[in-house]
């Protein structure tokens, strides 16, 4: 157990500005550690530590694997690595992607809630879709404090709205108010973690999920016992998906370890369909070009009958290609941005 509080923060699109406002508003003697996951490209350097270091007085870094977590510091997840909290230290791992990303917000939040219980403050900021909802649910379930950015204040409100819909939220604040709230919350004494009974099936499941994010081997760790096996397969690896229930929230994990919320799974399946359509269109165009070229060769050789037959087949394939292209255009209406669902309206039945 920590002798101090830990604040875990998740952000995606539109998250830089509220993180800068937070860093600028915190004092140099802030008594908690702040751990941040911001969705960033896997193979690009992250400049978040420099950005936040210039914004405020606290030192900012990307932690090393097994580095001890210290109060009064800001830690940012490195690109293409999950950031986990285990026994007062960081685990920086390349476990299976969650919600199509690594680092993922849910993996950090879940590990913090599981490890540190009521001493955790979980914060979800601006972002698309719903990464952070499951992790924040774990933080709350293990006695921690839950905070979301006011959706009306967020540049992209999907992540805050999803958390508000699925999790019992303690505080909803604007970005400029977050530093003051965290100063007030971390001033409270460190709480004793009574935790959840070690025999509790839910605790065992969350512990295994933290372990999967750390070292994979999901099948051998018992992922198939998490819930009902579904007819869906993992868009990333083709593995069998198991349905996991957390309160009223449903998500999925495959037997190799990849995890998805319902919304992210829908986006992934939609993208897979689009990819297949593009490959089909490419094959049709290649066949059409081959038929057309062969028909021209027959025409040059004076074989009018075969030349006309090949030209006709080339036109038929071109017509099929146009139909495939139309399907791709229609499919793009289900892109990630169009799936910024208004979860508070209840239009989707989870």
């Amino acid at each position: 157990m920590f002798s101090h509080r830990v604040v875990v923060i998740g952000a995606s699109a539109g998250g830089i500005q509220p993180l800068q406002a937070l860093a600028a508003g915190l004092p140099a003697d802030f008594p908690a550690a702040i751990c941040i996951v911001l969705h960033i490209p896997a193979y690009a350097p992250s400049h978040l530590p420099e950005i936040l270091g210039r914004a405020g007085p606290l030192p900012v870094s990307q932690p090393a694997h097994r580095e001890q977590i210290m109060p009064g510091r800001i830690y940012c997840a490195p690109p293409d690595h999950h950031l986990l909290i285990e026994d007062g230290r960081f685990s920086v791992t390349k476990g299976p992607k969650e919600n199509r990303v690594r680092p993922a917000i849910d993996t950090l939040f879940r590990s913090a809630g599981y490890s540190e219980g009521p001493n955790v403050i979980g914060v979800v900021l601006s972002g698309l879709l719903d990464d952070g909802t499951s992790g924040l649910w774990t933080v709350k379930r293990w006695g921690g404090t839950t905070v979301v950015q006011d959706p009306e204040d967020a540049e992209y409100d999907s992540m805050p709205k999803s958390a508000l819909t699925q999790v019992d939220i303690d505080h909803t604040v604007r970005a400029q108010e977050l530093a003051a709230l965290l100063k007030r919350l971390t001033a409270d004494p460190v709480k004793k973690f009574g935790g959840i009974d070690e025999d509790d099936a839910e605790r065992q499941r969350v512990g295994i999920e933290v372990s999967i994010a750390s070292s994979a081997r999901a099948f051998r760790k018992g992922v198939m016992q998490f819930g009902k096996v579904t007819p869906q397969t993992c868009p990333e690896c083709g593995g069998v998906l198991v349905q996991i229930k957390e309160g009223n929230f449903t998500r999925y994990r495959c037997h190799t370890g990849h995890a998805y919320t319902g919304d992210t799974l829908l986006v992934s399946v939609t993208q897979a369909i689009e990819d297949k359509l593009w490959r089909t269109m490419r094959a049709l165009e290649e066949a059409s070009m081959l038929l057309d070229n062969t028909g021209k060769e027959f025409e040059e050789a004076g074989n009018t009958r075969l030349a006309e037959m090949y030209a006709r087949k080339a036109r038929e394939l071109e017509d099929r290609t146009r139909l495939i292209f139309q399907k791709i255009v229609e499919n793009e209406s289900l892109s990630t941005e169009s799936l910024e669902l208004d979860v508070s309206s209840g239009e989707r039945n989870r």
Side-chain angles (χ1 to χ4, degrees):
M1 289 295 298
F2 290 136
S3 60
H4 55 271
R5 295 293 189 89
V6 59
V7 180
V8 290
I9 300 176
S12 186
I16 294 288
Q17 187 172 353
L19 287 172
Q20 287 178 292
L22 170 64
L26 293 174
D29 60 350
F30 187 67
I34 296 178
C35 310
I36 297 172
V37 165
L38 175 71
H39 290 163
I40 49 180
Y43 299 106
S46 172
H47 299 289
L48 186 61
E50 291 87 347
I51 293 170
L52 300 185
R54 290 194 299 267
L58 294 181
V60 188
S61 64
Q62 292 179 352
H65 183 60
R66 303 307 298 164
E67 180 177 335
Q68 185 174 357
I69 304 171
M70 301 297 294
R73 296 188 64 91
I74 297 175
Y75 301 95
C76 302
D80 202 30
H81 287 77
H82 289 312
L83 184 64
L84 309 175
I85 293 173
E86 298 180 286
D87 302 322
R89 295 182 180 275
F90 287 114
S91 286
V92 182
T93 75
K94 293 200 71 169
K97 290 181 180 179
E98 185 151 348
N99 296 323
R100 308 196 306 164
V101 294
R102 186 174 52 225
I105 300 166
D106 282 335
T107 58
L108 170 62
F109 283 23
R110 192 177 296 122
S111 68
Y114 179 80
S115 177
E116 302 305 323
N119 289 324
V120 177
I121 302 168
V123 184
V124 170
L125 300 176
S126 171
L128 296 168
L129 296 178
D130 52 6
D131 191 17
T133 296
S134 171
L136 203 61
W137 181 90
T138 303
V139 168
K140 186 65 176 181
R141 180 73 176 84
W142 264 253
T145 303
T146 53
V147 181
V148 298
Q149 184 179 1
D150 185 340
E152 294 187 0
D153 182 55
E155 185 175 351
Y156 295 92
D157 62 9
S158 296
M159 278 176 28
K161 278 188 174 181
S162 175
L164 280 166
T165 302
Q166 302 293 346
V167 183
D168 182 11
I169 300 300
D170 298 307
H171 304 277
T172 302
V173 297
R174 300 177 68 83
Q176 293 296 332
E177 302 165 352
L178 181 57
L181 173 65
L182 294 181
K183 284 189 286 186
R184 189 169 74 249
L185 293 176
T186 54
D188 295 337
V190 174
K191 301 175 184 178
K192 182 179 179 181
F193 182 18
I196 298 176
D197 193 316
E198 292 290 341
D199 295 329
D200 185 271
E202 194 168 75
R203 178 169 179 78
Q204 292 178 6
R205 189 262 302 166
V206 172
I208 291 171
E209 289 207 79
V210 172
S211 177
I212 289 170
S214 177
S215 58
R217 299 174 64 84
F219 179 75
R220 297 187 183 279
K221 293 177 185 294
V223 68
M224 303 307 291
Q225 308 304 315
F226 286 0
K228 181 176 69 175
V229 176
T230 74
Q232 286 82 28
T233 56
C234 174
E236 185 142 353
C237 70
V240 175
L241 286 173
V242 174
Q243 188 180 75
I244 301 170
K245 297 288 288 184
E246 291 176 329
N248 295 323
F249 192 65
T250 300
R251 58 191 186 86
Y252 304 85
R253 192 178 283 276
C254 78
H255 74 266
T256 67
H258 301 112
Y260 305 86
T261 63
D263 289 349
T264 309
L265 181 60
L266 178 58
V267 170
S268 299
V269 169
T270 301
Q271 183 176 348
I273 293 170
E274 182 180 325
D275 291 343
K276 289 178 181 177
L277 287 171
W278 279 113
R279 287 196 294 270
T280 302
M281 192 174 98
R282 183 207 68 204
L284 287 170
E285 287 181 334
E286 289 175 354
S288 178
M289 286 187 290
L290 178 59
L291 287 167
D292 188 59
N293 289 336
T294 304
K296 289 178 180 177
E297 289 176 357
F298 279 119
E299 185 177 9
E300 291 173 358
N303 194 331
T304 306
R305 184 182 64 82
L306 285 178
E308 291 178 352
M309 183 184 73
Y310 274 81
R312 185 180 70 255
K313 290 185 176 295
R315 290 193 298 271
E316 290 173 356
L317 277 181
E318 287 174 1
D319 291 339
R320 293 181 189 178
T321 303
R322 280 193 292 272
L323 289 174
I324 294 294
F325 181 75
Q326 182 60 38
K327 290 296 181 183
I328 293 173
V329 172
E330 292 172 358
N331 203 58
E332 286 178 342
S333 67
L334 289 176
S335 65
T336 299
E337 290 189 8
S338 71
L339 282 168
E340 293 177 53
L341 302 175
D342 185 3
V343 293
S344 64
S345 71
E347 290 179 355
R348 266 198 73 211
N349 179 10
R350 292 180 181 272

